[in-house]
Amino acid sequence: MTGSSMAVEPPLLSVKNLSVAFPTEDGLVRAVDGVSFSVEKGKTLAIVGESGSGKSVTAQAIMGIIDRKAAKMTGEIWLDGQELVGLPAGELQSLRGSQVAMIFQDPMSSLHPFYRVGDQITEAISAHRSIGAKAARAEAMEMLRRVGIPAVERRIDDYPHQLSGGMRQRVMIAMALINKPALLIADEPTTALDVTVQAQILDLIASLQGEFQITVIMITHDLGIVADVADDVAVMYGGRIVEVAPTGTLYHEPEMPYTLGLLSSVPRMDRDVSTRLEPIPGNPPSPIRLPPGCVFAPRCKYADRVPDGACMTTRPELLQAAPDHLVRCHIPSEERREIAQGVLRVLTGGAA
Amino acid sequence: MVAYTVRRLILMVALLFALTAAVFFLFTLLPGDPARLTCAKACSPAIIEANRHRLGYDQPVLVQYGQFLGGIFFGRTFSSDSPQPIVCNAPCLGYSYTRHQQVLTLILNAAPVTFWLAVGAFLVWISISIVLGIFAALNHGHWPDRLVMGISLVGYSMPSFFIGLILIFFVVLRWNWLPFPSYVSPFDNPLRFLQTMILPWIVLAFLNTAFYMRLTRNQVLETFHEDYVRTARAKGLPERTVVVKHALRAGLTPLVTAAGMDLAALLGGAVITESIFSLPGIGSLAVNSVLQSDLPLITGITLFSSTLIIFANLVVDLLYAFLDPRVTIA
C-alpha cells in the first residue's frame, strides 16, 4: 500500500479501477468492481474478504489467467512499469511464472497428479529460459532444498500424492519462485493445511520474501494470519475494497463496520472469555444483484445512523480517513471511530 | 507387478471355471433334446437313443461336465465305441454334431472375421470421437460444440440395424458404389476386403462414436477446470502445452478403461452388424448356434468371449496403473 510515504520508487504493482465482470445467463456477474491499490517493492499486502468478495478474481486478473473470452475486464494493472490489462496474450504468458507467480489454496489438486514434482518444476524453468535438462534439474533440486524438502535426491522424483500436504505446498512455493519473480500471489496458501503446518508455510514465505526481495500479495479470509505477515491490509467486500490501512492501524483503529465484523468473528488470545464470537448477520450479496447503496448496508448494524437512508441508496466512495487509511463508509469519520473503539473494548474485555 | 499379474491370472482361471459350469448347467436345463437334433428327418426312437448314448447325453450332467473339462486339458474322443471315433485334441471345447466340426475349429475360423471387424471399427470410432470430442470441448458453448453434440445425439438414437440397412440399401443396392458385402481375407484380396468391411466398420463404430465423442468432450471439459491446469497456465506454459500435456493427458486417460473393455466385447462377436452384412464372424456363429440349440458350440463361444473380456479387464487395469501413477497395484 502507500506504506512509507517516503518511497522514491514507484510501487511495484499498481491496480487502478480494475473491474472484472462475467456475462452469464442470469445476468452480469460483477466479480470485481473498481478496485484500486498498490504494493511497494518487497512489501506484503493482504487482501481479506469472505468467499465471493472478489479477492481471488483480483489475483487471477493480475496473473492474467482470466479467460478473456468469458470475462469483461477494464481498468489498469501496472507491474514494474508495464500495463497488463491491455497486453497481448503471448506477452502475458511470458510474464506469468517469470515476473508474477502464484501459489494456490490446495496443493494436492494444484500439482499435476501424473507428473513427478521435479519435472513439474523444471517445466516451469524451461518455459522461460533455455537451459539444459541437467542444469534445470540441479536448479530444481537446489530450490526444493531451499524450501525445506528433506532428502531432495529422492523426493524430486516423487509424485505429488507421495508427499504430505505441507510438502506439496513447499513444492508449489519452489515452483513459483524458481524463476525469481518480482511478485508472488499467495491465494489462501494455508487454508487446506493442518494448523501446525500453516505457521511453517507462512514463515517459509516470509523468509524467502526477504531472501529473494519478493513482493507478496497474500489473499486470505483469515484475519488471524494477516497480523503476522502483512504490512498493509485491504478488506474486500462485494467486489470492492471497503477499507485499506497498514496492518497495525487496521487492527487497532478500524473504521468500516464490515472490518469490525470480521475482527469480531476472529478468535483472539486477548479476547475476554466472557464475550462470545459474533458472526456478521446475513449473507454476502449476490454479485448479479448488488444492493443499490453501500454493498454492505443490508448487513450493517449502523446503517440507520446515516440520515435519509443514504446507505441504502448511494454508493459510498473510498475516501481518505488518515494519510494511509482509506475507508468506504457513509458514517462520519468521528462517529465511526467511536463505534470501533466501543466494539474493540468489548472484544478485549475493556483492556483496549 | 508380476505378483499382481500372476494373482489376477489365477483369479481369471477360477472365474472361467465358474463360468463354464454356469453355462454348461444352464443349457442342460433348457427345453429340447440335443439327441433329437442330431438326426433331423431321419430320426426314429432307436436312432435318437443310439445317438444319445454315442454323444454321452445319457450320462449324468456332472459326468458330462467332467468330460467337457477333461477335454479342455487333455483332449477327448467322441463316439469311441463306433467304427469312426472323432479325436478332439486338447484344448477341446467340444464337437458340434449339427455342423460335424470341432467347436474350436469353428471359432478359430470365425475369429479373424470378427477381429478385423472389431479392430477396424475401433480405429474408426476412437480416432473420430477423440478428435471431435476435443474439438467440441475447445469450443465449449459455441456452434462447433453444439454441432458435435447434436451429431452425437442423433448417433445415439439410431439403432445400428437401421443404419446398416439404410447403408446397404443406398450405397450397395441403389447407387452400386460398393459390391454386396462378402467376406474375404485381407491377405487374399485387400481391395475386396476393404469394400466389404467399410460399411460394417461404419455401422459398428457409429454408436460408440456417439458415446465416445460425448465422453471425450466431458472429460476434457472437466479437466480444463482442474486446479493443476490453472497451475500450468500460471507457470507461463504455452497454451498448447497446457491443453495437450496437462489437460488432455489427464482427461483422456480414463478413456483407456472404457475403450479397452468395449473393444474386448466387440472381439467376442458383433451380433447385429455381422448378421446384417452376413459376415461369418463369432457373432453370426453365436446366433446360429443358439437357433440350432447347438449346446457344445454355445458353450465354446461363451467361454471364448468371456475369456476375452476377462483378459481385457486385466490388460486395462495394468495399462491404467502404467498411465496414472496414483494407481498402485500390489
Side-chain angles (χ1 to χ4, degrees):
Chain A
M1 209 25 244
T2 35
S4 70
S5 47
M6 307 292 286
V8 205
E9 271 187 273
L12 177 87
L13 175 77
S14 178
V15 174
K16 291 177 183 162
N17 205 20
L18 177 72
S19 295
V20 184
F22 301 91
T24 67
E25 284 173 6
D26 299 324
L28 198 61
V29 174
R30 295 176 196 279
V32 175
D33 203 350
V35 162
S36 303
F37 62 86
S38 55
V39 197
E40 276 168 36
K41 196 169 172 20
K43 299 281 187 187
T44 300
L45 169 72
I47 301 182
V48 182
E50 292 167 280
S51 343
S53 62
K55 53 194 198 310
S56 287
V57 176
T58 305
Q60 286 167 17
I62 299 169
M63 277 305 287
I65 53 176
I66 284 184
D67 183 0
R68 292 188 185 193
K69 276 183 281 180
K72 284 183 189 162
M73 228 168 115
T74 57
E76 296 167 28
I77 300 172
W78 291 88
L79 177 74
D80 214 4
Q82 194 165 23
E83 206 288 306
L84 305 186
V85 174
L87 215 56
E91 287 179 46
L92 262 183
Q93 181 205 319
S94 66
L95 288 181
R96 281 201 294 271
S98 65
Q99 283 278 39
V100 209
M102 189 159 180
I103 56 179
F104 300 96
Q105 180 168 345
D106 184 356
M108 178 77 240
S109 58
S110 299
L111 287 164
H112 201 295
F114 287 9
Y115 299 111
R116 299 171 196 279
V117 293
D119 294 342
Q120 298 195 43
I121 296 176
T122 50
E123 187 184 33
I125 302 176
S126 47
H128 298 284
R129 289 178 272 153
S130 324
I131 181 171
K134 262 200 181 138
R137 189 177 162 88
E139 207 176 301
M141 211 174 257
E142 184 50 40
M143 187 53 99
L144 284 174
R145 214 169 271 136
R146 179 62 198 84
V147 298
I149 302 277
V152 170
E153 295 75 12
R154 260 185 321 113
R155 290 302 190 185
I156 192 168
D157 290 322
D158 272 356
Y159 290 99
H161 71 271
Q162 294 169 301
L163 302 173
S164 69
M167 288 298 149
R168 286 196 281 260
Q169 195 59 295
R170 284 172 198 268
V171 169
M172 281 300 292
I173 293 171
M175 193 158 81
L177 299 186
I178 194 78
N179 291 315
K180 311 272 185 298
L183 178 67
L184 174 71
I185 303 175
D187 189 355
E188 309 242 11
T190 58
T191 308
L193 303 176
D194 289 345
V195 181
T196 46
V197 182
Q198 286 185 3
Q200 294 172 9
I201 295 294
L202 291 175
D203 284 350
L204 177 67
I205 294 175
S207 85
L208 291 167
Q209 179 177 19
E211 187 177 327
F212 295 118
Q213 288 293 301
I214 304 167
T215 308
V216 175
I217 294 181
M218 178 80 69
I219 291 171
T220 179
H221 65 272
D222 184 357
L223 266 179
I225 70 167
V226 169
D228 299 326
V229 298
D231 297 295
D232 300 283
V233 184
V235 179
M236 281 190 77
Y237 186 84
R240 34 182 60 68
I241 290 180
V242 294
E243 181 160 15
V244 192
T247 308
T249 310
L250 193 97
Y251 273 83
H252 299 294
E253 300 161 42
E255 296 200 12
M256 166 74 193
Y258 177 63
T259 312
L260 290 177
L262 282 182
L263 287 169
S264 307
S265 54
V266 176
R268 286 157 61 133
M269 290 304 283
D270 60 352
R271 173 192 287 272
D272 181 353
V273 287
S274 64
T275 64
R276 305 182 55 155
L277 285 181
E278 198 179 327
I280 306 171
N283 290 309
S286 150
I288 296 177
R289 272 170 285 281
L290 286 170
C294 170
V295 285
F296 185 61
R299 300 171 75 186
C300 183
K301 278 199 275 189
Y302 312 103
D304 53 3
R305 296 199 179 201
V306 180
D308 305 332
C311 289
M312 297 297 180
T313 54
T314 317
R315 285 266 152 87
E317 296 292 313
L318 188 63
L319 298 173
Q320 207 163 45
D324 281 344
H325 195 167
L326 303 178
V327 181
R328 190 188 291 276
C329 187
H330 282 309
I331 305 170
S333 198
E334 282 302 313
E335 200 174 339
R336 285 196 311 240
R337 278 173 209 159
E338 250 172 60
I339 294 169
Q341 292 314 314
V343 170
L344 291 180
R345 250 197 311 281
V346 173
L347 278 183
T348 54
Chain B
M1 183 102 169
V2 175
Y4 173 83
T5 313
V6 169
R7 214 166 52 236
R8 282 289 298 266
L9 285 172
I10 293 170
L11 262 173
M12 209 171 116
V13 172
L15 196 58
L16 284 173
F17 261 113
L19 216 124
T20 50
V23 173
F24 200 91
F25 292 116
L26 263 179
F27 284 114
T28 55
L29 293 178
L30 286 181
D33 179 359
R36 174 80 181 72
L37 293 164
T38 53
C39 46
K41 282 182 180 165
C43 276
S44 69
I47 295 179
I48 291 177
E49 279 318 306
N51 278 351
R52 188 189 310 285
H53 174 70
R54 204 156 58 87
L55 307 180
Y57 290 133
D58 53 349
Q59 309 263 16
V61 176
L62 265 179
V63 174
Q64 291 185 41
Y65 180 58
Q67 286 170 342
F68 172 72
L69 284 184
I72 292 176
F73 293 103
F74 312 112
R76 62 194 281 204
T77 306
F78 295 94
S79 325
S80 47
D81 47 0
S82 79
Q84 289 163 313
I86 299 156
V87 180
C88 180
N89 292 320
C92 175
L93 291 181
Y95 185 82
S96 164
Y97 289 99
T98 47
R99 290 158 184 262
H100 301 288
Q101 278 193 56
Q102 295 189 16
V103 168
L104 190 64
T105 315
L106 287 167
I107 291 177
L108 289 182
N109 284 341
V113 182
T114 300
F115 172 82
W116 291 119
L117 176 64
V119 169
F122 176 78
L123 292 178
V124 171
W125 104 59
I126 281 294
S127 44
I128 292 180
S129 55
I130 285 189
V131 167
L132 288 185
I134 292 171
F135 180 63
L138 290 175
N139 294 286
H140 174 52
H142 299 282
W143 68 264
D145 183 23
R146 297 205 176 129
L147 182 68
V148 169
M149 285 306 98
I151 295 172
S152 164
L153 188 67
V154 173
Y156 242 94
S157 332
M158 283 214 267
S160 55
F161 60 82
F162 176 71
I163 306 164
L165 292 176
I166 292 277
L167 281 178
I168 290 188
F169 181 75
F170 283 102
V171 177
V172 177
L173 300 179
R174 176 65 62 89
W175 298 328
N176 291 316
W177 287 353
L178 290 172
F180 199 84
S182 149
Y183 183 78
V184 289
S185 158
F187 305 110
D188 295 343
N189 188 345
L191 178 68
R192 179 78 199 164
F193 169 77
L194 285 177
Q195 286 174 334
T196 298
M197 296 304 274
I198 184 93
L199 291 184
W201 282 338
I202 292 173
V203 169
L204 194 52
F206 213 84
L207 184 68
N208 275 329
T209 307
F211 174 73
Y212 276 79
M213 250 169 12
R214 203 166 272 268
L215 189 65
T216 306
R217 167 188 177 269
N218 293 351
Q219 281 289 336
V220 172
L221 269 185
E222 213 169 281
T223 42
F224 277 155
H225 294 115
E226 290 287 351
D227 287 350
Y228 49 77
V229 172
R230 183 181 57 181
T231 306
R233 213 164 261 139
K235 281 200 276 194
L237 300 178
E239 191 61 24
R240 172 184 288 269
T241 312
V242 173
V243 170
V244 175
K245 187 175 168 190
H246 289 259
L248 294 188
R249 169 76 169 79
L252 296 184
T253 304
L255 289 183
V256 170
T257 313
M261 295 309 294
D262 279 346
L263 176 61
L266 284 191
L267 286 171
V271 172
I272 294 175
T273 310
E274 287 179 16
S275 305
I276 299 172
F277 293 96
S278 13
L279 296 171
I282 302 282
S284 304
L285 195 62
V287 172
N288 292 331
S289 69
V290 172
L291 292 177
Q292 296 163 356
S293 299
D294 191 337
L295 176 62
L297 192 50
I298 295 172
T299 316
I301 292 174
T302 312
L303 198 58
F304 173 80
S305 303
S306 32
T307 308
L308 278 177
I309 288 185
I310 296 172
F311 191 70
N313 219 322
L314 174 65
V315 170
V316 159
D317 282 356
L318 292 177
L319 197 61
Y320 205 89
F322 174 74
L323 290 172
D324 186 342
R326 286 170 299 181
V327 178
T328 46
I329 47 179

